Amino acid sequence: FEERWLQRLIMRHPSLLPAAQIEPAFNSLIPICVELPVRSGFVDNLFVTPAGDLALVECKLWRNPEARREVVAQIIDYATEISTWTYETLQDAIRRTKPLDESDDKSTQSLYELVSAHGEIDEVSFHDAVSRNLKRGRFLLLIVGDGIHEGVEDRKSVV
């Protein structure tokens, strides 16, 4: 397996993520992109709810040595950077991502268009909610793996 396989799996089947069990507001995750570029790397997966809530996902395979506490610091670093972004900066980064497959062209679609394709939403309210969540750094951070080392769960091992 490669991490890319895991990224694609959850993009095609976001219901595999237990997001609503963690935070009920995240019961309708809409897949937006893979490999969202940030200064320190790439956020593996980005999901958004119709209410403008953002979920960042970092995928790690069990055999990957970073599947330990480094992955926790990595996703926190990504969230910290994204919390400095505006709606427009996020939109720009999404447009720079690679398509999931050849038929998937997000380069001409806005974030709002990607989300509204899953149901009617108010554009102004959505834009304001995303902007507010970016400014507040309010994200659901998920680490997804084919198996996670016990040390990731141990609060003492998180720096």
Side-chain angles (χ1 to χ4, degrees):
F1 289 126
E2 293 182 8
E3 288 176 8
R4 186 177 178 145
W5 170 85
L6 194 52
Q7 291 172 348
R8 290 172 178 268
L9 176 67
I10 62 174
M11 288 300 281
R12 289 191 174 108
H13 306 284
S15 62
L16 292 172
L17 299 171
Q21 294 172 4
I22 298 166
E23 172 57 55
F26 288 86
N27 65 344
S28 299
L29 289 179
I30 297 169
I32 300 300
C33 64
V34 294
E35 300 290 331
L36 181 74
V38 294
R39 277 191 308 267
S40 57
F42 296 89
V43 176
D44 287 337
N45 299 78
L46 173 67
F47 295 87
V48 178
T49 69
D53 297 307
L54 302 158
L56 312 178
V57 178
E58 186 59 29
C59 297
K60 290 293 179 212
L61 299 180
W62 183 84
R63 69 177 180 270
N64 184 328
E66 291 178 1
R68 300 175 194 260
R69 67 186 191 173
E70 291 88 2
V71 71
V72 175
Q74 182 180 17
I75 199 165
I76 290 172
D77 285 347
Y78 294 162
T80 300
E81 179 181 340
I82 292 171
S83 71
T84 67
W85 289 4
T86 63
Y87 184 95
E88 291 72 22
T89 307
L90 175 63
Q91 177 66 59
D92 224 27
I94 291 167
R95 285 197 171 120
R96 291 194 317 266
T97 62
K98 296 177 185 171
L100 195 56
D101 56 45
E102 289 74 36
S103 66
D104 185 24
D105 184 17
K106 291 180 173 58
S107 62
T108 59
Q109 292 185 299
S110 69
L111 176 59
Y112 168 75
E113 290 168 331
L114 292 168
V115 175
S116 65
H118 296 269
E120 192 172 322
I121 58 172
D122 177 67
E123 185 172 9
V124 173
S125 297
F126 176 77
H127 186 288
D128 288 349
V130 171
S131 296
R132 193 170 38 254
N133 286 327
L134 287 167
K135 186 176 183 177
R136 292 178 180 165
R138 185 181 184 277
F139 314 117
L140 179 63
L141 306 179
L142 298 171
I143 299 169
V144 176
D146 62 340
I148 299 291
H149 293 271
E150 276 188 46
V152 172
E153 294 177 358
D154 183 4
R155 291 184 182 156
K156 295 174 191 168
S157 69
V158 178
V159 180

